[in-house]
């Protein structure tokens, strides 16, 4: 059975993409710690990051560096947070989000899906894409 991330990547579920290539996709999470909270996900469905092949792992992190820098700039944040948690969805994903303090790393404070403002979510995706130079599908 496909993971929810595979369904987003394949267009079966909606997603706010900021980056996409043949190996990796990056899109906003539906339960963000802050507006701009993005997931960087390999296209290949691999549950644990420790099971990724080294080339995919390297590329995933290269994209995370680029997207993390774009988030920092787009939200004028002092830092871009980076977390691999791996419990919510059995598909490797890196969480990136604008942050200014360690308190921002508390997933119990994430916004519920129905509590986010769709307009703010759209603007967050647009701001990140503007920094990356990508289109609405996350492609250059």
């Amino acid at each position: 059975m496909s993971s929810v991330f595979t369904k987003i990547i394949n267009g079966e579920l909606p997603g706010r993409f900021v980056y996409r290539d043949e190996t990796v996709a990056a899109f906003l999470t539906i339960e963000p710690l802050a507006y701009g909270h993005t997931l960087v996900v390999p296209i290949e469905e691999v549950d644990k990051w420790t099971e990724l092949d080294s080339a995919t792992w390297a590329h995933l992190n290269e994209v995370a560096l680029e997207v993390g820098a774009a988030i920092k700039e787009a939200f004028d944040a002092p830092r871009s947070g980076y977390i691999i948690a791996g419990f919510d969805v059995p598909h490797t994903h890196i969480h990136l989000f604008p942050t200014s303090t360690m308190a921002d790393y508390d997933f119990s404070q994430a916004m519920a899906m129905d509590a986010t403002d769709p307009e703010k979510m759209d603007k967050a995706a647009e701001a990140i894409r503007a920094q990356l130079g990508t289109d609405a599908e996350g492609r250059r």
Side-chain angles (χ1 to χ4, degrees), residues 1-15 17 45 91:
M1 178 183 287
S2 295
S3 77
V4 66
F5 294 159
T6 297
K7 290 177 180 177
I8 292 168
I9 291 165
N10 291 339
E12 298 167 40
L13 292 173
F17 287 88
E45 198 170 300
H91 189 148

Side-chain angles (χ1 to χ4, degrees), residues 68-86:
I71 288 170
K72 185 178 169 297
E73 290 300 316
F75 298 94
D76 195 28
R79 296 190 185 265
S80 181
Y82 175 115
I83 296 176
I84 297 175

Side-chain angles (χ1 to χ4, degrees), residues 96-132:
L96 303 174
F97 52 94
T99 183
S100 58
T101 175
M102 281 302 296
D104 296 337
Y105 284 73
D106 183 356
F107 279 90
S108 71
Q109 300 300 311
M111 292 176 244
M113 179 175 52
D114 60 355
T116 60
D117 180 331
E119 186 175 324
K120 287 182 181 179
M121 293 289 283
D122 289 341
K123 286 184 178 191
E126 290 169 12
I128 297 167
R129 285 193 298 264
Q131 290 295 319
L132 294 170

Side-chain angles (χ1 to χ4, degrees), residues 25-71:
F27 47 85
L28 268 56
T29 182
I30 59 171
E31 294 184 331
L33 293 172
Y35 288 104
H37 184 160
T38 301
L39 303 177
V40 182
V41 181
I43 302 295
E44 180 184 5
E45 198 170 300
V46 176
D47 180 9
K48 299 175 182 87
W49 66 270
T50 53
E51 296 173 355
L52 289 171
D53 64 83
S54 59
T56 302
W57 170 249
H59 186 61
L60 188 72
N61 279 279
E62 287 170 10
V63 172
L65 280 169
E66 189 175 354
V67 173
I71 288 170

